[in-house]
Each structure stands twice: as C-alpha cells, then as structure tokens.
Amino acid sequence: MRRVTIKDVAKAAGVSISTVSNALNDVDVLNPETKLHVLNVVKKLNYVPDLNGKLLKSGKTKMLGFFTTSVAGPYFYTLVESMSRECDRQGYGLNVIVTKDHKVIMGNILGGRVDGVIVFEELKIDEKDIAAMERNKIKTVFLDRIVQNETMGSIIFDSYVAGYEATKYLISLGHKKIAYISGVDTMFDSVQRREGYLAALREHQFPVDENYILQGYFEEEGSYNAVKSFLHMHPGKVPDAFLAGNDLSAIGCIRALKSQGYEVPQDISVVGFDDIEIAQYFSPPLTTVRNQIARQGILVIEHLINMIHMKEQGKVQKLAGELIVRGSSHVKLDRNYKV
Amino acid sequence: MRRVTIKDVAKAAGVSISTVSNALNDVDVLNPETKLHVLNVVKKLNYVPDLNGKLLKSGKTKMLGFFTTSVAGPYFYTLVESMSRECDRQGYGLNVIVTKDHKVIMGNILGGRVDGVIVFEELKIDEKDIAAMERNKIKTVFLDRIVQNETMGSIIFDSYVAGYEATKYLISLGHKKIAYISGVDTMFDSVQRREGYLAALREHQFPVDENYILQGYFEEEGSYNAVKSFLHMHPGKVPDAFLAGNDLSAIGCIRALKSQGYEVPQDISVVGFDDIEIAQYFSPPLTTVRNQIARQGILVIEHLINMIHMKEQGKVQKLAGELIVRGSSHVKLDRNYKV
DNA sequence: CTTTACAATAAAAACGTTTTTATGATTTAT
DNA sequence: ATAAATCATAAAAACGTTTTTATTGTAAAG
C-alpha cells in the first residue's frame, strides 16, 4: 500500500494539488466551501504531508543537530533535556548525533539535514571544518571552545568567575589560609579557576603562598595524595580551607583530611566545583559551584534559533556558576571556642 | 552565496549531472578518467551532497526517531547512549524528540522524517494512532507497552518477574512484613512490579495489607514523605522491609527511616529497582534489581533496523532483571538478639 | 561494409511538496 | 458596453538528488 500523497487527495477531491496545498496551509485565497471539502477528503484519506517534500522546497528542516561523542552522565542528560524542551517550545526538533565518525559529522552538518548545529566534541572539528561551515553559513553554537563570527557563537562556563566567587565565599566565612588543589594545567577550566582564586586572594591582600597550590589532577586519588603529603611536609601551616579544582578532588581532599584526624567542616572547610551527582550524597555533603547546565541549554537554543532567524550574529556568552552551600564548609571557629 | 549543488559541479566539470551522481556514488559505469576529473571538481568546489534531495528520491532518511517526554535521569541517558552507539554502528542517526505535543509526535512519525520509531511515552499514543501507524507500515518499537504486529514490536523489562524475585529475596532473608512503595499507577512498570510483589506474597501465604502499599511517585521526595507519614500514622506496624518501586524511592525511604531513628539494614531492609549510578555510592549501598538498560538499547535498535530491512517481523521481547545484593538488605535479626 | 553490441555519457523523469504564473469567470469601474 | 480589476482555481516550475531511458561513438560480428 503506497503512501497517500497530495496528488491522491487532489484527485479524490477533484481539485488541483495547489488547491490542496493552499487548503492545508491556510492560505486565505480559497473559497471556504472548497477548503472545507478538501479538508474532509484529507481526513477521509488519512493524508499526512510528507515532511521531506516540504523541506526540500522550503530549505528548512526545523531540526537542530547536537553533535557529541557521548550523552552519558548528569552533565549531558541535563543539557539534552533542557535543549530538547527549549526546541520543542520553539517548534524545532533536536537531532542527537552521537558519533566519532568525522565523515558522518561533517556530512550531516554540511548536508543540510539540520537548520542549526550544536557542537560538543573536543578536537574533532578542526579549523578547516569550521572554515567550511562558515563558508556555507551554517549556524552553529560551540559548547567547548570559543568561536565567533557572523554565524557562529559559543556559550561556555566562566570558570574564572567561579574560582573567584568560591574563594570570596571562603574568605567571607572567616578563612585566611586557603589552599587550592589544582587540576591539569593544560585544561582551560583548571587554569581559569586558579586565576580566579588568585584574584580573590589579591583583592583581599592575602599573601599568595606557592605551597598552598597543590596538584590534584582532577582526580580523587591524586588529590588525596597531594593533601596527605602536604600535611606531612608542612605540619605547621595547615590551611583553614581547601578549594578543590573539582568535586572529585574535594572528595579526595576530605578523605585525606579525615585520615589525619581533621574534621570537615569543623576544622577545615572544603569547596569543590561541578556539583556532580554524588556531591549531595557524600558525607559531608559537598559545598560546590554548580554549572548552570539547564540554563546553558536554553541559551544555546535561543542563540542558535536567533541566528537562524537572522535576529542575531554569533556571540560569546560566559555563564557564571552557582554556589551550592552544603555541609563541607563552615564559618571559621575560634580555636579557643569549644563547640 | 548560494549552496553548491550537483548542477554547479556538472557545469564546472563539463559533464551531465547524472555523471556527477554516478561518480559520487561509485557506480562502475564511468570512464575512470572522467570519474577522477569529476571528483577533483567536487573537491575544488567543496561540494557536499544535500541529504534532503537524496532522501526525497530514495525515501530513506537513515534516521530513527526516539519519542519521549523526558531524557532526564540515569535510565534515559544510559538508554539514549546505548541506542545512539548502536545506531552509529549501523549507519543510522538518532533523532531524539522530547515533546508532549501529540501533533508534533504524529506529524513526525507519519511525515516520513524517520525510517523507524522508538516510543517511550505513556498514554499519549492511542489505539487510533497505532492503527494509523500500522496502516502506513511505520516500523516501531515500543518500550513502555506491548504492541505486536507485522511492523511493530516491544522490548520491555519483565518488571513482574523483577518484583516477584525481589520480594522472594526479601522473604528468603526472613522478612515477613514487607511494604511496597509504588510509583505512578499509570505506568506499566510500576504496576507490573507491584503485581510481582503481590504474587510472591500470595505464594507464601502472606497476608496482603493495603496499608503496606505506599505511593512514592518514583521520586525521592515522594517516597520520603510517604514513608514518614506512614510511620507517623501506623506506629504499631513498622515493616521489616521495604521494596521500593525504583532506586530513588529507595533512597527517599532510607532517609525517612533514618530520620526516625531506624537503622538500615540492621532494623529494616530496603531494596530498589534500576541500579542507578548513585546506588553503589549511597550509604548504605543499595540492594537493587538492575535493568539491563544498555542491552535494551541495543536490542531496540537491532530489532528496529531488522524490521526496516524486512528481515524480521514485530516481536515482543522481555528482558529479565538482575538482582544486585549490596548493603541495604540484611537477614532479619531476632528482636531479642543484640548485635 | 553493414549491422549489432557495447561502452560512455547525456537527457529526462521521478520523488512530494510549495510557490509562481497562467487561466477563466465574475465583478467593478469608466 | 467594454476594459480593467478581482477572485477562484489550475497548471507549471522549482527544490537537489537518483534512476531510468535515450543518444552518441566505437568496436565486434556477420
């Protein structure tokens, strides 16, 4: 049984296909009776317009494409969920393409299957690809790097501000000796967070002690070792607080502190970044700076659709983090004051 | 700057468009020299075939559509991740449509934008819709209900067996007063699990007490409240064990129990379903029945693509769960026995 | 040599729409 | 009363491909 097309409807209704099209698309040029008649035939034949024929003519797919190497984990599903909802709200669909196949990626992007593109996928799309996309005026939003031109923008987290705000928060609790557990020095986020931390210290005229910057490699184990060996080597200068490069580091840090008999947060406050899922279930629950993922998703779609509608050119937006205060941080207690 | 089409390539290469098409699609009818020449021009002009023109002709989009009301939470992202990978492996793309708009859903399904459909979306698609899909021979796999005909199949978890087995496990630990924290009554899984639970009770001639069936709505908060108010209203009949409709409910349940001074698992055992990521990090680590979600994702795509390739007719597959015993369950201790 | 077969390429049809242009019948204006 | 404007609908073109059919020119067969 063949698909019912507009032709079949036209024949059955005894009109031309243009009349059927007009009736369906509410073009007010038709005799109301004709229109009604056509719509009745449409219903009787269970006709549903083929979207492919439609889009071939219009050139618009009403679909956005999200290209990524994975959708696993809380970051991604929150992002996808939020993007999807915003797409739906604006009458678009979201195409999630999970692949590492460069040919598939570029074929889909340049092949006109989507009206706009969201890219999260480190390193795979190189300068040449971006040039090709720019040439074809493919509207694009990048999530993992900064690109900006007429048809391309970026929405990234402001790790600098996050580091700065987290440090200021610790200072506001009365802490004076604040250590930072660094991640990987080649990573943008890690460096930015540290710079924010240093800026906050400088602003308050706190001395910057190089020894207070540990290397935790963004991992629980690395952080655990770094903190433990620090405590061992500098028993006289135990910090009031640790700012860990991410939540995993914070967990490692807390474990190390506990193993040496310190209480968190009574003796020492610890703050992390990311608000990973276990953060709230950890003991103590982590104070951390959360990426506003859902908000990022909405901004991405808004910006993309604005570019598609030519209401906006590509721009770079930085999203501030959100401090979630939980149990791992505490106002500094006077040493002589017994709880 | 207009899009580069096959016409432009033909003109630039001095050949017909059919020759260009043949060169691109590796039809071995062309003079090798001609082919090479054409491909060079293609490269020079940065021509990329428009997928829409292509699919209009072929009638194949090489896209599968996943229709759902949400992608949030570990179940969905694991499923989407696994389906995506399998799609990618088989040369398909996955279209994730998150919407509650019935018109959008049916328009996309019947509009031929995808070659196959995966549906997870309670209640929205009714019998009439299914009839329309069957009439149009839309290849479909349902995840939340049983449908079977030539072009439609289902892959579901055997929640009944899971509920039954989990309950039997609790009974085997010596528990007698087992409560069930229900999810949403309109959801197939929730009902099935409860039926399995009831069947196990009946099999052991345990009385079924309606008060022991709480409403947790598949959420931590809902479960927390349900358990807390139960303990408040029936202080005399505290259960030995709770079977929670999913892991989130189990967590809410344990929190509620702890807040009232009960120890898990020493005083009360708690078992959940799903084995979400935090299940193993929770304190205590959750005993739970694991859905083989990743496996389900692969089976879905396999079945769907088989139907598309006419290698298979619709079938119903039930996937058994797997009991993961962790710290939240414990053999029943005699009340007089002091640990 | 002429016919037939074949190879290589070009031309045309098709996919299902929307949109532009054309046509014929009324109505309005002069 | 005739030309112009309007209305309702039909016909045709277009979107970018693939596929089918047609047209060459050349080689093999008789």
Coordinates of all heavy atoms in Angstrom, one line a residue, chain D residues 9-20:
Chain D
dT9 P -12.4 27.8 -5.5 OP1 -13.6 26.8 -5.5 OP2 -11.8 28.0 -4.2 O5' -11.4 27.3 -6.5 C5' -11.8 26.9 -7.8 C4' -10.7 26.8 -8.8 O4' -9.8 28.0 -8.7 C3' -9.7 25.7 -8.5 O3' -10.0 24.6 -9.4 C2' -8.3 26.3 -8.8 C1' -8.6 27.6 -9.3 N1 -7.6 28.7 -9.0 C2 -6.8 29.1 -10.0 O2 -6.9 28.7 -11.2 N3 -5.9 30.1 -9.7 C4 -5.8 30.7 -8.4 O4 -5.0 31.6 -8.2 C5 -6.7 30.2 -7.4 C7 -6.6 30.7 -6.0 C6 -7.5 29.2 -7.7
dA10 P -9.2 23.3 -9.4 OP1 -10.1 22.2 -9.8 OP2 -8.4 23.2 -8.2 O5' -8.2 23.5 -10.7 C5' -8.7 24.0 -11.9 C4' -7.6 24.3 -12.8 O4' -6.8 25.5 -12.4 C3' -6.6 23.2 -13.0 O3' -6.3 23.0 -14.3 C2' -5.3 23.7 -12.2 C1' -5.4 25.2 -12.4 N9 -4.9 25.9 -11.3 C8 -5.2 25.9 -10.0 N7 -4.6 26.8 -9.2 C5 -3.7 27.4 -10.1 C6 -2.7 28.4 -9.9 N6 -2.5 28.9 -8.7 N1 -2.0 28.8 -11.0 C2 -2.3 28.2 -12.2 N3 -3.2 27.3 -12.5 C4 -3.9 26.9 -11.4
dA11 P -5.5 21.8 -14.8 OP1 -6.1 21.3 -16.1 OP2 -5.3 20.8 -13.7 O5' -4.1 22.4 -15.2 C5' -4.0 23.5 -16.1 C4' -2.6 24.1 -16.1 O4' -2.3 24.8 -14.9 C3' -1.5 23.1 -16.3 O3' -0.7 23.5 -17.3 C2' -0.8 23.0 -14.9 C1' -1.0 24.4 -14.4 N9 -1.0 24.6 -13.0 C8 -1.7 23.9 -12.1 N7 -1.5 24.3 -10.8 C5 -0.6 25.3 -11.0 C6 0.0 26.2 -10.0 N6 -0.3 26.1 -8.7 N1 0.8 27.1 -10.5 C2 1.0 27.2 -11.8 N3 0.5 26.5 -12.8 C4 -0.3 25.5 -12.3
dA12 P 0.5 22.7 -17.9 OP1 0.6 22.9 -19.3 OP2 0.4 21.3 -17.4 O5' 1.8 23.4 -17.2 C5' 1.8 24.8 -17.2 C4' 3.0 25.3 -16.4 O4' 2.7 25.3 -15.0 C3' 4.3 24.4 -16.6 O3' 5.4 25.2 -16.6 C2' 4.2 23.5 -15.3 C1' 3.7 24.6 -14.3 N9 3.2 24.1 -13.1 C8 2.4 23.0 -12.9 N7 2.0 22.8 -11.6 C5 2.6 23.9 -11.0 C6 2.6 24.3 -9.6 N6 1.9 23.6 -8.7 N1 3.3 25.4 -9.3 C2 3.9 26.0 -10.2 N3 4.0 25.8 -11.5 C4 3.3 24.7 -11.8
dA13 P 6.8 24.7 -17.0 OP1 7.0 25.5 -18.3 OP2 6.9 23.3 -17.0 O5' 7.8 25.3 -16.0 C5' 7.6 26.7 -15.5 C4' 8.2 26.8 -14.1 O4' 7.4 26.2 -13.1 C3' 9.6 26.2 -14.0 O3' 10.4 27.1 -13.3 C2' 9.3 24.9 -13.2 C1' 8.2 25.4 -12.3 N9 7.3 24.3 -11.7 C8 6.8 23.2 -12.3 N7 6.0 22.5 -11.6 C5 6.1 23.1 -10.3 C6 5.5 22.8 -9.1 N6 4.7 21.8 -8.9 N1 5.7 23.7 -8.1 C2 6.5 24.7 -8.3 N3 7.2 25.1 -9.4 C4 6.9 24.3 -10.4
dA14 P 12.0 27.0 -13.3 OP1 12.5 28.4 -13.7 OP2 12.3 25.9 -14.2 O5' 12.4 26.7 -11.9 C5' 12.0 27.5 -10.8 C4' 12.0 26.6 -9.5 O4' 10.9 25.7 -9.6 C3' 13.2 25.8 -9.3 O3' 14.0 26.4 -8.3 C2' 12.7 24.4 -8.8 C1' 11.2 24.7 -8.7 N9 10.4 23.5 -9.0 C8 10.3 22.8 -10.2 N7 9.5 21.8 -10.2 C5 8.9 21.8 -8.9 C6 8.0 21.0 -8.2 N6 7.4 20.0 -8.8 N1 7.7 21.4 -7.0 C2 8.3 22.4 -6.4 N3 9.2 23.2 -6.9 C4 9.5 22.9 -8.2
dC15 P 15.6 25.9 -8.3 OP1 16.4 27.1 -8.4 OP2 15.8 24.8 -9.3 O5' 15.8 25.3 -6.9 C5' 15.1 25.6 -5.7 C4' 15.0 24.4 -4.8 O4' 13.7 23.7 -5.1 C3' 16.1 23.4 -5.0 O3' 17.1 23.7 -4.1 C2' 15.4 22.1 -4.7 C1' 13.9 22.4 -4.7 N1 13.1 21.6 -5.6 C2 11.9 21.0 -5.2 O2 11.5 21.2 -4.0 N3 11.1 20.2 -6.0 C4 11.5 20.0 -7.3 N4 10.8 19.3 -8.1 C5 12.7 20.6 -7.8 C6 13.5 21.4 -6.9
dG16 P 18.6 23.7 -4.6 OP1 19.4 24.4 -3.6 OP2 18.6 24.1 -6.0 O5' 19.0 22.1 -4.6 C5' 19.1 21.5 -3.3 C4' 19.3 20.0 -3.6 O4' 18.1 19.5 -4.2 C3' 20.5 19.7 -4.5 O3' 21.2 18.6 -3.8 C2' 19.8 19.2 -5.8 C1' 18.5 18.6 -5.3 N9 17.5 18.6 -6.3 C8 17.2 19.6 -7.2 N7 16.2 19.3 -8.0 C5 15.7 18.1 -7.5 C6 14.6 17.4 -7.9 O6 13.8 17.6 -8.8 N1 14.4 16.2 -7.1 C2 15.2 15.9 -6.0 N2 14.9 14.8 -5.4 N3 16.3 16.6 -5.6 C4 16.5 17.7 -6.4
dT17 P 22.6 18.2 -4.4 OP1 23.6 18.6 -3.5 OP2 22.7 18.5 -5.8 O5' 22.4 16.6 -4.2 C5' 22.2 15.7 -5.3 C4' 21.1 14.8 -4.9 O4' 19.9 15.4 -5.3 C3' 21.2 13.5 -5.7 O3' 21.9 12.5 -4.8 C2' 19.8 13.1 -5.9 C1' 19.0 14.4 -5.8 N1 18.5 14.9 -7.1 C2 17.4 14.3 -7.7 O2 16.8 13.3 -7.2 N3 17.0 14.8 -8.9 C4 17.6 15.9 -9.6 O4 17.1 16.3 -10.6 C5 18.7 16.5 -8.9 C7 19.4 17.6 -9.6 C6 19.1 15.9 -7.8
dT18 P 22.6 11.3 -5.5 OP1 23.3 10.5 -4.5 OP2 23.3 11.8 -6.7 O5' 21.4 10.4 -6.0 C5' 20.5 9.7 -5.1 C4' 19.5 9.0 -5.9 O4' 18.8 9.8 -6.8 C3' 20.0 7.8 -6.7 O3' 19.1 6.7 -6.5 C2' 20.0 8.3 -8.1 C1' 18.8 9.3 -8.1 N1 18.8 10.4 -9.1 C2 17.8 10.6 -9.9 O2 16.8 9.9 -9.9 N3 17.9 11.7 -10.7 C4 19.0 12.6 -10.8 O4 18.9 13.6 -11.5 C5 20.0 12.3 -9.9 C7 21.2 13.2 -9.9 C6 20.0 11.2 -9.1
dT19 P 19.5 5.3 -7.0 OP1 18.9 4.3 -6.0 OP2 20.9 5.2 -7.4 O5' 18.6 5.1 -8.3 C5' 17.2 5.4 -8.2 C4' 16.6 5.4 -9.6 O4' 16.9 6.7 -10.3 C3' 17.1 4.3 -10.6 O3' 16.0 3.8 -11.3 C2' 18.0 5.0 -11.5 C1' 17.3 6.4 -11.6 N1 18.2 7.5 -12.1 C2 17.6 8.4 -13.0 O2 16.5 8.3 -13.4 N3 18.4 9.5 -13.3 C4 19.7 9.7 -12.8 O4 20.4 10.7 -13.2 C5 20.2 8.7 -11.9 C7 21.6 8.9 -11.3 C6 19.4 7.7 -11.5
dT20 P 16.0 2.3 -11.9 OP1 15.3 1.4 -10.9 OP2 17.4 2.0 -12.3 O5' 15.1 2.5 -13.2 C5' 14.1 3.4 -13.2 C4' 14.1 4.1 -14.5 O4' 15.1 5.1 -14.6 C3' 14.3 3.2 -15.8 O3' 13.2 3.4 -16.6 C2' 15.6 3.8 -16.4 C1' 15.6 5.2 -15.9 N1 16.9 5.8 -15.9 C2 17.1 7.0 -16.6 O2 16.3 7.6 -17.2 N3 18.4 7.6 -16.4 C4 19.4 7.0 -15.7 O4 20.5 7.6 -15.6 C5 19.2 5.8 -15.0 C7 20.2 5.2 -14.1 C6 17.9 5.3 -15.1

